[in-house]
Amino acid sequence: MFPSWMMFWTLILCFVGRRVTFALQDVTSDLFGSQNYGTVAAFGDFNSDKQTDIFIIRKQSELLIFLADLKAPYFKPKVHLKEVFPSEFSISSVVPGDFDGDSQMDVLLTGHPKASSALQTTVFVFWGHNQTLNQSERVNLNRTFKDEPLVMDFDGDMIPDIFGTVDDSSEVCYLSTRKPKCEKALSSSVNMRIPHSNAFIDLNKDFTADLFLTTESNGFETWINKDGNFTRTPPGKAPNNSKKVGQSAFVDFDGDGSQDHLLPVCMDDACQKSAIYLAKPGGAELHWVPVLTDFQRKDSVWGFVPPPDSPAVGELHSPITLHLGDYNLDGFPDALVILCNTSASAQQQAFLLENVPCNNVSCREAGRMFRVHWEQSDLSAIPRAVLATFFDIYEDGILDMIVLSKVEGNEELVIHALKNNFEADAYFVKVIVLSGLCSNDCPENVKPFGVNQPGPYVMYTSVDSNGYLKNASAGQLSQSAHLSLQLPYTVLGLGRSANFLDHLYVGIPRPPGGKNIRKQEWTAIIPNSQLIVIPYPQNDPRSWSAKLYLTPSNIVLLTAIALIGVCVFILVIIGILHWQEKKADDREKRQEAHRFHFDAM
């Protein structure tokens, strides 16, 4: 039987380990001060300080880069590009990346005509130099794309390339020499859907990124990377009963180590009946499994915001999009979406979709489903929300939220930052894969910490607290168009298992004709850590290096406090027992001194 003091401290430790909090805190003023307006367009570590910066569009013609700082406001507008396009154009998207291979972050901007509804997209690239942008030297691709391009590593040289549709054929443009070189990309023509949700992601679990394309008539094509060459596979179709199809998203939804295809759709033109489907391969046709169909909130029915058939001139496209991230670090990615009340169209809010075990027959094949958090008061307090995404504000491995909303009479969107005060005995690993082009000889003697690199693939295997094998995977920057707002790193939740990761695998794209899979394995990775992978030399994975940075969490602090408390309590008990024993010895000595010694007579 345990002593009472041991039972007391055991209960304290159990309480510390099991405390779970799902609360959000508005930290907008701490982050942006009075500068919380504009359209958040991209994320990236622009000045190589291991802190992720924010790229914001204003007036549809200006770009501001808010650099992370250690003093409030924690994001300050330090780099400002004015009138980057001719006056008749407006900025539609921003894609940071190292497009010339000098390991310094450049910025790609796309724009379209203000006074025309024609599908025309112009691309400019501004070169980064010594933590700023060279505004006098910009490159125009001299191509008119039908839609925003996909930034991907087409030739596997760890330098991002630009893939899109020009006229009726797909083209890829290389900028490694700062002089655009464009050529035909694929062996057959593809009629892209506009707006597209093309992706550069590993879809057959060989650690080499494949090419996923969305086509007209709600179709999909997958071009598998075989020996460094993209090979077309049989196409697929969206669910037959869908009227409006949103943006495809890729994530390891069920935690089996492979990427799943999620698709938000509307069953009618007004999106009064909405659903999210997960694709399961089933012979020649895709088999779609619903993972969310219940949008009932008390007496009202909600649904996705239907995209306009003909967007207003000068407005950014707003397709139906899922922004994904593991909010509660349980190892299963959640989602942020914008929903509107079908009976009151002006009521539009951001909602969290939590990934939970399936509890009905319709999603049994998927094993998991989404559940809407209707009562998330901090999100519902933001009216007229138009976009919501995840972002690690304090670089602590816990994903926070950024929400954009409209204000009556204001042309600019308002930015809201919500800190995720999630506290539970859950762990994570944060992985950034760099290009490795400069290795230990980087320009300006600055090591880049997260120059946005599309294409790397990460997977881990571990054992959970019950002794079962657990794994998960993620692709890095698989999409770049239409405000996909993907983070330049991967945060993988580990659940409540504090075990070391048994294996962590990282793979990068292959060059044309390359038959060897370029991947490396690391073992015994510490939870709550950030791993920066430098794949250099690219063709010798055994020589790749990784830098591990430990991120202490509140759990560690609380456990340490509880442990110190237990030690202090034990020391007090020992002190009291020692004092009592000393008193007993003194009493015995006094009794011995007063005894009558018969031997002395």
Side-chain angles (χ1 to χ4, degrees), residues 99-102 127 139 157 159-161 173-181:
F99 295 96
D100 58 353
D102 65 352
W127 305 113
V139 169
D157 61 354
I159 299 176
D161 309 310
C173 296
Y174 308 100
L175 293 171
S176 57
T177 61
R178 294 198 175 186
K179 295 181 180 179
K181 176 188 174 184

Side-chain angles (χ1 to χ4, degrees), residues 15-52:
F15 173 76
V16 169
R18 294 183 181 273
R19 185 162 64 94
V20 179
T21 303
F22 294 93
L24 297 174
Q25 176 187 355
D26 193 324
V27 293
T28 306
S29 58
D30 292 341
L31 262 64
F32 300 102
S34 61
Q35 297 288 323
N36 64 317
Y37 61 96
T39 301
V40 175
F43 304 111
D45 183 7
F46 182 75
N47 57 347
S48 303
D49 64 349
K50 210 161 74 69
Q51 303 290 320
T52 307

Side-chain angles (χ1 to χ4, degrees), residues 329-350:
L329 301 179
D330 63 348
F332 299 98
D334 313 299
L336 284 172
V337 296
I338 303 297
L339 301 178
C340 66
N341 192 334
T342 58
S343 58
S345 57
Q347 191 176 3
Q348 187 170 304
Q349 296 175 8

Side-chain angles (χ1 to χ4, degrees), residues 410-548:
N410 192 345
E411 293 182 359
E412 298 287 0
L413 299 177
V414 177
I415 304 171
H416 307 266
L418 302 176
K419 182 180 182 296
N420 180 4
N421 287 324
F422 171 77
E423 293 182 6
D425 48 349
Y427 301 85
F428 68 91
V429 62
K430 187 174 181 178
V431 183
I432 301 176
V433 184
L434 307 183
S435 64
L437 296 176
C438 65
S439 186
N440 295 320
D441 186 24
C442 294
E444 310 297 335
N445 294 320
V446 175
K447 176 69 68 178
F449 289 103
V451 176
N452 296 33
Q453 185 64 40
Y457 192 74
V458 179
M459 187 181 78
Y460 77 82
T461 61
S462 183
V463 177
D464 63 17
S465 56
N466 296 319
Y468 296 107
L469 183 65
K470 178 181 178 63
N471 58 4
S473 65
Q476 182 173 288
L477 291 171
S478 60
Q479 294 172 308
S480 59
H482 299 293
L483 297 179
S484 58
L485 291 177
Q486 293 189 354
L487 297 170
Y489 46 76
T490 297
V491 177
L492 296 170
L494 305 178
R496 297 191 174 190
S497 174
N499 296 335
F500 283 66
L501 295 186
D502 295 335
H503 305 277
L504 181 75
Y505 304 93
V506 173
I508 62 174
R510 281 179 283 181
K515 297 184 179 182
N516 295 327
I517 296 177
R518 303 197 292 183
K519 77 168 184 177
Q520 177 60 328
E521 171 190 356
W522 285 271
T523 58
I525 302 298
I526 302 173
N528 282 12
S529 61
Q530 176 174 300
L531 190 72
I532 298 178
V533 178
I534 304 173
Y536 179 84
Q538 297 173 14
N539 292 322
D540 186 11
R542 290 178 298 179
S543 300
W544 294 358
S545 60
K547 299 181 182 297
L548 188 71

Side-chain angles (χ1 to χ4, degrees), residues 134-434:
N134 189 341
Q135 301 187 34
S136 61
E137 295 184 15
R138 67 180 184 184
V139 169
N140 183 352
L141 256 61
N142 198 23
R143 287 288 192 279
T144 300
F145 293 91
K146 282 190 173 182
D147 196 6
E148 297 175 16
L150 168 69
V151 173
M152 59 178 291
D153 186 6
F154 194 88
D155 57 355
D157 61 354
M158 300 303 284
I159 299 176
D161 309 310
I162 301 165
F163 173 88
T165 302
V166 179
D167 295 328
D168 293 325
S169 63
S170 59
E171 288 193 8
V172 59
C173 296
Y174 308 100
L175 293 171
S176 57
T177 61
R178 294 198 175 186
K179 295 181 180 179
K181 176 188 174 184
C182 299
E183 59 186 33
K184 185 178 179 180
L186 302 174
S187 58
S188 60
S189 61
V190 180
N191 295 321
M192 304 289 185
R193 191 178 74 210
I194 299 175
H196 73 81
S197 51
N198 300 340
F200 186 53
I201 184 78
D202 178 21
L203 297 175
N204 59 350
K205 214 171 177 180
D206 66 349
F207 291 90
T208 300
D210 308 303
L211 184 58
F212 172 87
L213 304 177
T214 52
T215 61
E216 291 181 348
S217 302
N218 298 331
F220 309 104
E221 288 188 7
T222 301
W223 292 68
I224 298 295
N225 191 315
K226 291 184 179 179
D227 298 334
N229 300 309
F230 292 104
T231 304
R232 187 178 183 179
T233 60
K237 285 280 188 179
N240 294 328
N241 53 350
S242 57
K243 295 294 184 181
K244 289 186 179 292
V245 177
Q247 300 294 89
S248 295
F250 294 90
V251 73
D252 188 359
F253 183 75
D254 50 4
D256 63 352
S258 60
Q259 292 295 293
D260 299 303
H261 179 188
L262 293 176
L263 186 68
V265 300
C266 296
M267 305 303 180
D268 55 89
D269 291 330
C271 289
Q272 293 186 350
K273 186 177 181 182
S274 303
I276 299 177
Y277 284 91
L278 182 144
K280 288 285 187 181
E285 293 290 333
L286 285 176
H287 176 53
W288 295 98
V289 179
V291 293
L292 177 61
T293 55
D294 182 12
F295 288 86
Q296 182 81 28
R297 182 185 187 185
K298 297 181 180 178
D299 297 330
S300 60
V301 178
W302 292 65
F304 295 123
V305 180
D309 294 326
S310 55
V313 175
E315 284 191 1
L316 297 176
H317 291 294
S318 300
I320 302 171
T321 306
L322 303 175
H323 289 101
L324 300 160
D326 194 351
Y327 169 81
N328 52 4
L329 301 179
D330 63 348
F332 299 98
D334 313 299
L336 284 172
V337 296
I338 303 297
L339 301 178
C340 66
N341 192 334
T342 58
S343 58
S345 57
Q347 191 176 3
Q348 187 170 304
Q349 296 175 8
F351 290 95
L352 172 69
L353 308 183
E354 184 182 2
N355 188 332
V356 297
C358 173
N359 61 8
N360 59 62
V361 177
S362 61
C363 61
R364 183 175 298 169
E365 290 182 66
R368 311 277 307 178
M369 58 177 276
F370 279 130
R371 181 180 64 194
V372 185
H373 274 237
W374 296 114
E375 305 303 327
Q376 190 63 262
S377 59
D378 302 272
L379 281 175
S380 60
I382 303 174
R384 302 188 68 185
V386 296
L387 187 147
T389 190
F390 291 104
F391 178 60
D392 187 1
I393 294 174
Y394 296 102
E395 303 288 347
D396 57 1
I398 298 176
L399 293 179
D400 311 292
M401 301 178 187
I402 289 182
V403 181
L404 306 184
S405 67
K406 288 182 179 179
V407 174
E408 194 70 32
N410 192 345
E411 293 182 359
E412 298 287 0
L413 299 177
V414 177
I415 304 171
H416 307 266
L418 302 176
K419 182 180 182 296
N420 180 4
N421 287 324
F422 171 77
E423 293 182 6
D425 48 349
Y427 301 85
F428 68 91
V429 62
K430 187 174 181 178
V431 183
I432 301 176
V433 184
L434 307 183

